[in-house]
Amino acid sequence: EEINYLENPVVVTASRTDQAAEDTLASVTVITRTDIERQQARSVQDLLHGIAGINVANTGGPGKLTTLFLRGTESDHVLVLVDGIRMGSATSGFSEIQNYPVELIDRIEIVRGPRSSLYGPEAVGGVIQIFTRKGGKKGLKPTLSFGGGSYGTINGSATLSGSSEHAWFNLGIIGSDSNCFNACKCSFSAGCFTVEPD
């Protein structure tokens, strides 16, 4: 019987084996590439907002430390994997998802609930696994996107993917820049008497 993967996504993270999402006993959410493009999310935290059981805390604008709380557990009790490899920071101790480009993501699997028996002590609250995009089966596939906004904000990405019988590749370059705005511009009405550029 042929499986429609858009309607019945296959989940790997819940049991470390291929399994249809509807057949797994775990509480699972799958964000597909179609979902990502439909939402037009600019960051991983944008994708995770509104997912049941996940709270996202951000210390500022884009690029600032973002922490995840899954089912009420601490932020260091959520294991984040990228293609099966643990993702973490040596300085903050958290998974720095704010720096991972959405353009390179194929899908995200979120498994809520304890998974320590499969993944170790970091998976008390659950596991979030990011799968990167892989080369297509029909020659080279380039993608290009640009965007802009207020405060001199610009962003762009260019990717090239491809595959052969025995290998695949996906190369990408992504960048963004913004002048942002200053918290204080020496305004008497705001109670600030100095210029504090941010």
Side-chain angles (χ1 to χ4, degrees), residues 38-92:
R38 185 175 58 242
Q39 292 179 26
Q40 297 183 4
R42 299 305 315 147
S43 63
V44 175
Q45 55 265 38
D46 288 347
L47 287 171
L48 298 178
H49 274 294
I51 300 293
I54 295 182
N55 291 328
V56 180
N58 190 286
T59 59
K64 298 293 184 182
L65 180 64
T66 299
T67 52
L68 301 172
F69 303 90
L70 196 52
R71 281 198 171 174
T73 59
E74 296 180 19
S75 55
D76 56 351
H77 289 166
V78 179
L79 177 62
V80 179
L81 305 171
V82 176
D83 290 332
I85 299 172
R86 292 173 192 264
M87 179 180 176
S89 168
T91 55
S92 69

Coordinates of all heavy atoms in Angstrom, one line a residue, residues 38-92:
R38 N 4.4 27.9 3.4 CA 3.1 28.5 3.6 C 3.1 29.6 4.7 O 2.5 30.6 4.5 CB 2.1 27.5 3.9 CG 0.7 28.0 4.0 CD -0.4 26.9 4.1 NE -0.2 26.2 5.3 CZ 0.1 24.9 5.3 NH1 0.1 24.2 4.2 NH2 0.3 24.2 6.5
Q39 N 3.9 29.3 5.8 CA 3.9 30.3 6.9 C 4.9 31.4 6.6 O 4.8 32.5 7.2 CB 4.4 29.6 8.1 CG 3.5 28.5 8.7 CD 4.1 27.9 9.9 OE1 4.9 28.4 10.6 NE2 3.6 26.7 10.2
Q40 N 5.8 31.3 5.6 CA 6.8 32.3 5.3 C 7.5 32.7 6.6 O 7.8 33.9 6.8 CB 6.1 33.5 4.6 CG 5.5 33.1 3.3 CD 4.9 34.3 2.6 OE1 5.0 35.5 3.0 NE2 4.3 34.1 1.5
A41 N 7.9 31.7 7.4 CA 8.6 32.0 8.6 C 10.0 32.5 8.3 O 10.7 32.0 7.4 CB 8.6 30.8 9.5
R42 N 10.6 33.4 9.1 CA 11.9 33.9 8.9 C 12.9 33.2 9.9 O 14.1 33.5 9.7 CB 11.9 35.4 9.1 CG 11.1 36.2 8.2 CD 11.3 36.0 6.7 NE 12.7 36.0 6.4 CZ 13.3 35.2 5.4 NH1 12.5 34.4 4.7 NH2 14.5 35.3 5.2
S43 N 12.4 32.4 10.8 CA 13.3 31.8 11.8 C 12.7 30.5 12.3 O 11.5 30.3 12.2 CB 13.7 32.8 12.9 OG 12.5 33.1 13.7
V44 N 13.5 29.7 13.0 CA 13.0 28.5 13.5 C 12.1 28.8 14.7 O 11.0 28.1 14.8 CB 14.2 27.6 14.1 CG1 13.7 26.4 14.8 CG2 15.1 27.2 12.9
Q45 N 12.4 29.8 15.5 CA 11.4 30.2 16.5 C 10.1 30.6 16.0 O 9.0 30.4 16.7 CB 12.0 31.2 17.5 CG 12.5 32.5 16.9 CD 14.0 32.5 16.6 OE1 14.5 31.5 16.2 NE2 14.6 33.6 16.8
D46 N 10.0 31.2 14.8 CA 8.7 31.6 14.2 C 8.0 30.3 13.9 O 6.7 30.3 14.0 CB 8.9 32.4 13.0 CG 9.4 33.8 13.2 OD1 9.3 34.2 14.4 OD2 9.8 34.5 12.3
L47 N 8.7 29.3 13.4 CA 8.0 28.0 13.1 C 7.4 27.3 14.4 O 6.4 26.7 14.3 CB 9.0 27.1 12.4 CG 9.4 27.4 11.0 CD1 10.5 26.5 10.5 CD2 8.2 27.3 10.1
L48 N 8.1 27.5 15.5 CA 7.7 26.7 16.7 C 6.7 27.5 17.5 O 6.1 26.9 18.4 CB 9.0 26.5 17.6 CG 10.1 25.6 16.9 CD1 11.2 25.4 17.9 CD2 9.5 24.2 16.5
H49 N 6.5 28.8 17.2 CA 5.4 29.5 17.9 C 4.1 28.9 17.6 O 3.8 28.6 16.5 CB 5.4 31.0 17.5 CG 6.4 31.8 18.3 ND1 6.2 32.1 19.6 CD2 7.5 32.5 17.9 CE1 7.2 32.9 20.0 NE2 8.0 33.1 19.0
G50 N 3.3 28.7 18.6 CA 1.9 28.1 18.4 C 1.8 26.6 18.4 O 0.8 26.1 18.3
I51 N 3.0 25.9 18.5 CA 3.0 24.5 18.5 C 2.6 24.1 19.9 O 3.2 24.6 20.9 CB 4.3 23.9 18.1 CG1 4.7 24.3 16.7 CG2 4.3 22.3 18.3 CD1 3.8 23.7 15.6
A52 N 1.7 23.1 20.1 CA 1.2 22.7 21.4 C 2.4 22.2 22.3 O 3.2 21.4 21.8 CB 0.2 21.6 21.3
G53 N 2.4 22.7 23.5 CA 3.4 22.2 24.5 C 4.8 22.9 24.4 O 5.6 22.6 25.2
I54 N 5.0 23.9 23.5 CA 6.2 24.6 23.3 C 6.1 26.0 23.7 O 5.2 26.7 23.2 CB 6.8 24.4 21.9 CG1 7.1 23.0 21.5 CG2 8.0 25.3 21.7 CD1 7.7 22.8 20.2
N55 N 6.9 26.5 24.6 CA 7.1 27.9 24.9 C 8.4 28.4 24.4 O 9.4 27.7 24.7 CB 6.9 28.2 26.4 CG 5.5 27.9 26.9 OD1 4.6 28.1 26.2 ND2 5.4 27.5 28.1
V56 N 8.4 29.5 23.7 CA 9.7 30.1 23.1 C 10.0 31.4 23.8 O 9.1 32.2 23.9 CB 9.6 30.2 21.6 CG1 10.8 30.8 21.0 CG2 9.2 28.9 20.9
A57 N 11.2 31.5 24.3 CA 11.6 32.8 25.0 C 12.8 33.4 24.2 O 13.7 32.7 23.9 CB 11.9 32.6 26.4
N58 N 12.7 34.7 23.9 CA 13.7 35.3 23.1 C 14.2 36.6 23.9 O 13.4 37.3 24.4 CB 13.2 35.7 21.7 CG 14.3 36.2 20.8 OD1 14.8 37.3 20.9 ND2 14.7 35.3 19.9
T59 N 15.5 36.8 23.9 CA 16.0 37.9 24.7 C 16.2 39.2 23.9 O 16.7 40.2 24.4 CB 17.5 37.6 25.3 OG1 18.3 37.2 24.2 CG2 17.4 36.4 26.2
G60 N 15.7 39.2 22.7 CA 15.7 40.4 21.9 C 15.3 40.1 20.5 O 14.4 39.3 20.2
G61 N 15.9 40.8 19.5 CA 15.6 40.7 18.1 C 16.2 39.5 17.5 O 16.7 38.6 18.2
P62 N 16.3 39.5 16.2 CA 16.9 38.3 15.4 C 18.3 38.1 15.9 O 19.1 39.1 16.0 CB 16.8 38.8 14.0 CG 15.7 39.8 13.9 CD 15.7 40.5 15.3
G63 N 18.7 36.9 16.0 CA 20.1 36.5 16.4 C 20.3 36.5 17.9 O 21.4 36.1 18.4
K64 N 19.4 37.0 18.7 CA 19.5 37.0 20.2 C 19.2 35.6 20.7 O 18.5 34.8 20.1 CB 18.6 38.0 20.8 CG 19.0 39.4 20.4 CD 20.3 39.8 20.9 CE 20.6 41.3 20.6 NZ 21.9 41.7 21.0
L65 N 19.7 35.3 21.9 CA 19.5 33.9 22.5 C 18.0 33.6 22.6 O 17.2 34.3 23.1 CB 20.2 33.9 23.8 CG 20.0 32.5 24.6 CD1 20.8 31.4 23.8 CD2 20.6 32.7 26.0
T66 N 17.7 32.4 22.0 CA 16.3 31.9 22.1 C 16.3 30.6 22.8 O 17.2 29.7 22.6 CB 15.8 31.7 20.7 OG1 15.8 32.9 20.0 CG2 14.4 31.1 20.7
T67 N 15.5 30.4 23.8 CA 15.4 29.2 24.6 C 14.0 28.6 24.4 O 13.0 29.3 24.2 CB 15.7 29.4 26.1 OG1 14.8 30.5 26.5 CG2 17.1 29.8 26.3
L68 N 14.0 27.2 24.5 CA 12.7 26.5 24.4 C 12.4 25.8 25.7 O 13.2 25.3 26.4 CB 12.9 25.4 23.3 CG 13.3 25.9 21.9 CD1 13.7 24.7 21.0 CD2 12.2 26.7 21.3
F69 N 11.1 25.8 25.9 CA 10.6 25.1 27.1 C 9.5 24.1 26.6 O 8.5 24.5 26.0 CB 10.0 26.0 28.1 CG 11.0 27.1 28.6 CD1 11.1 28.3 27.9 CD2 11.8 26.8 29.7 CE1 12.0 29.2 28.3 CE2 12.7 27.8 30.1 CZ 12.8 29.0 29.4
L70 N 9.7 22.8 26.7 CA 8.8 21.8 26.2 C 8.0 21.1 27.3 O 8.7 20.5 28.2 CB 9.6 20.8 25.4 CG 8.9 19.9 24.4 CD1 8.0 20.7 23.5 CD2 9.9 19.1 23.6
R71 N 6.7 21.3 27.3 CA 5.9 20.7 28.4 C 6.3 21.1 29.8 O 6.2 20.3 30.7 CB 5.8 19.2 28.2 CG 4.9 18.7 27.1 CD 4.6 17.2 27.3 NE 3.6 16.8 26.4 CZ 3.1 15.6 26.2 NH1 3.6 14.6 26.9 NH2 2.2 15.3 25.3
G72 N 6.7 22.3 30.0 CA 6.9 22.9 31.3 C 8.3 22.5 31.8 O 8.6 22.9 33.0
T73 N 9.1 21.8 31.1 CA 10.5 21.4 31.6 C 11.4 22.6 31.4 O 11.1 23.6 30.7 CB 11.0 20.2 30.9 OG1 11.1 20.4 29.5 CG2 10.1 19.0 31.2
E74 N 12.6 22.5 31.9 CA 13.6 23.5 31.8 C 14.1 23.5 30.4 O 14.0 22.6 29.6 CB 14.7 23.3 32.8 CG 14.3 23.4 34.2 CD 15.5 23.2 35.2 OE1 16.7 23.3 34.7 OE2 15.2 22.9 36.3
S75 N 14.7 24.7 30.0 CA 15.2 24.8 28.6 C 16.3 23.9 28.3 O 16.5 23.5 27.1 CB 15.6 26.3 28.4 OG 16.6 26.7 29.3
D76 N 17.1 23.4 29.3 CA 18.2 22.5 29.0 C 17.7 21.0 29.1 O 18.5 20.1 29.0 CB 19.4 22.7 29.9 CG 19.0 22.6 31.4 OD1 17.8 22.5 31.7 OD2 19.9 22.6 32.2
H77 N 16.4 20.8 29.2 CA 15.8 19.5 29.1 C 15.1 19.2 27.8 O 14.3 18.3 27.7 CB 14.8 19.3 30.2 CG 15.4 19.2 31.6 ND1 14.7 19.3 32.8 CD2 16.7 19.0 32.0 CE1 15.5 19.2 33.8 NE2 16.7 19.1 33.3
V78 N 15.4 20.0 26.8 CA 14.9 19.8 25.4 C 16.1 19.5 24.5 O 17.0 20.3 24.4 CB 14.2 21.0 24.9 CG1 13.7 20.8 23.5 CG2 13.0 21.4 25.8
L79 N 16.1 18.3 23.9 CA 17.2 17.9 23.1 C 16.9 18.4 21.6 O 15.8 18.0 21.1 CB 17.4 16.4 23.1 CG 18.5 15.8 22.2 CD1 19.9 16.4 22.5 CD2 18.5 14.3 22.2
V80 N 17.8 19.1 21.0 CA 17.7 19.6 19.7 C 18.7 18.8 18.8 O 19.9 18.9 19.1 CB 17.8 21.1 19.5 CG1 17.7 21.5 18.1 CG2 16.8 21.8 20.4
L81 N 18.3 18.2 17.8 CA 19.1 17.4 16.8 C 19.0 18.0 15.5 O 18.0 18.5 15.0 CB 18.8 16.0 16.8 CG 18.7 15.2 18.1 CD1 18.1 13.8 17.8 CD2 20.1 15.0 18.7
V82 N 20.2 18.0 14.7 CA 20.2 18.4 13.3 C 20.7 17.2 12.6 O 21.8 16.8 12.7 CB 21.0 19.6 13.0 CG1 21.1 19.9 11.5 CG2 20.5 20.8 13.8
D83 N 19.8 16.5 11.8 CA 20.1 15.3 11.1 C 20.8 14.3 12.0 O 21.7 13.6 11.7 CB 21.1 15.6 9.9 CG 20.4 16.3 8.8 OD1 19.2 16.1 8.6 OD2 21.1 17.1 8.1
G84 N 20.2 14.2 13.2 CA 20.7 13.1 14.2 C 21.8 13.5 15.1 O 22.2 12.8 15.9
I85 N 22.4 14.7 14.9 CA 23.6 15.2 15.6 C 23.1 16.3 16.6 O 22.4 17.2 16.3 CB 24.6 15.8 14.7 CG1 25.1 14.7 13.7 CG2 25.8 16.3 15.5 CD1 26.0 15.1 12.6
R86 N 23.6 16.1 17.9 CA 23.2 17.1 18.9 C 23.6 18.5 18.6 O 24.8 18.7 18.1 CB 23.8 16.6 20.2 CG 23.2 15.4 20.8 CD 24.0 14.9 22.0 NE 23.6 13.6 22.4 CZ 22.6 13.3 23.3 NH1 22.0 14.3 23.9 NH2 22.3 12.0 23.5
M87 N 22.8 19.4 18.8 CA 23.1 20.8 18.5 C 23.1 21.6 19.8 O 22.1 21.5 20.6 CB 22.0 21.4 17.6 CG 22.1 22.8 17.2 SD 20.7 23.2 16.2 CE 21.0 25.0 16.0
G88 N 24.2 22.2 20.2 CA 24.3 22.9 21.4 C 25.4 23.9 21.4 O 26.3 23.9 20.5
S89 N 25.4 24.8 22.4 CA 26.4 25.9 22.5 C 27.3 25.6 23.7 O 26.8 25.2 24.8 CB 25.7 27.2 22.7 OG 26.6 28.2 23.1
A90 N 28.6 25.8 23.5 CA 29.6 25.6 24.6 C 29.5 26.8 25.6 O 29.9 26.6 26.7 CB 31.0 25.5 24.0
T91 N 28.9 27.9 25.2 CA 28.9 29.1 26.1 C 27.6 29.2 26.8 O 27.6 29.4 28.0 CB 29.1 30.4 25.3 OG1 28.2 30.5 24.2 CG2 30.5 30.4 24.7
S92 N 26.5 29.1 26.1 CA 25.2 29.2 26.8 C 24.6 27.9 27.4 O 23.8 27.9 28.3 CB 24.1 29.8 25.9 OG 23.8 28.9 24.8

